[in-house]
Amino acid sequence: MGQPPGSRWNHNIHFHPLVMNAIRPGAASALDVGTGDGELAGDLRSSLSDVTAVDVDADVLARAAANHRGIHWIHGDFMTYDFGRTFDIVAAVATIHHLPSLPDALQRLADLTSPGGVVVIIGLARPTTPRDRLLGLAGVAQHQWLSRTRNFWQHSAPTVWPPPHTYSEVRECAARVLPGVRWQQFALWRYALTWTKPHLSGADAR
């Protein structure tokens, strides 16, 4: 995982391959939630013809639109914006810790996903356990190495630190809201949630 040496790199871009690898065969559409500078939207557009990106920050969205083509840019709050549709893959990288309600954010991401589609969340959380702290220490070493050997780039989108939720809180909430979700925890102070939305049953489809 991660970008090849020489390309633009930061902690969020490092995990873009995890999102890209979650794209299922036959998928055509994607929603990038909290797109920021649009780097993930650009990656998604390289594989999918129908990419929408949404952000509440008009200035950062304008910069993203200037650098990436073929994407439908939306200035708005994904929690309330009426997209009028669902998407085959819904991705949120370093976004949901900006929102006031974690359960509501997870449910909204699920609602915006088409049956059989995938939600991928790369998030930040606070360490509370010995394992969390060991991964944090590993993250310090990993950051020092990668920032020296890659083309480190500081994004322009707003940041929130410290994150409002612990790793344990995020994992427990995700298990409730997204049954069957896959949890992964990494160094570089990130976790990943990957969830496939069930297809409608015969009774639900009628």
Side-chain angles (χ1 to χ4, degrees), residues 101-190:
S101 171
L102 178 60
D104 290 348
L106 295 178
Q107 185 61 59
R108 177 63 170 158
L109 293 170
D111 292 343
L112 289 169
T113 305
S114 302
V118 180
V119 174
V120 184
I121 298 164
I122 309 297
L124 292 77
R126 287 186 284 110
T128 54
T129 69
R131 182 175 185 273
D132 295 343
R133 295 186 178 94
L134 283 173
L135 282 171
L137 290 173
V140 172
Q142 190 175 11
H143 167 79
Q144 291 175 345
W145 169 252
L146 290 171
S147 62
R148 291 190 182 104
T149 59
R150 306 294 173 95
N151 181 22
F152 182 74
W153 170 71
Q154 182 62 52
H155 64 76
S156 65
T159 60
V160 172
W161 192 266
H165 307 102
T166 68
Y167 288 103
S168 297
E169 288 170 340
V170 174
R171 186 172 187 174
E172 292 166 5
C173 181
R176 292 194 306 270
V177 179
L178 307 174
V181 68
R182 182 188 184 195
W183 165 269
Q184 295 170 277
Q185 189 173 338
F186 305 97
L188 293 179
W189 309 284
R190 298 296 189 275

Side-chain angles (χ1 to χ4, degrees), residues 32-37 53-58 60-61 74-77 157-158:
D32 179 16
V33 174
T35 189
D37 292 284
V54 59
D55 203 287
V56 296
D57 189 311
V60 75
L61 197 66
I74 294 175
H75 175 220
D77 182 349

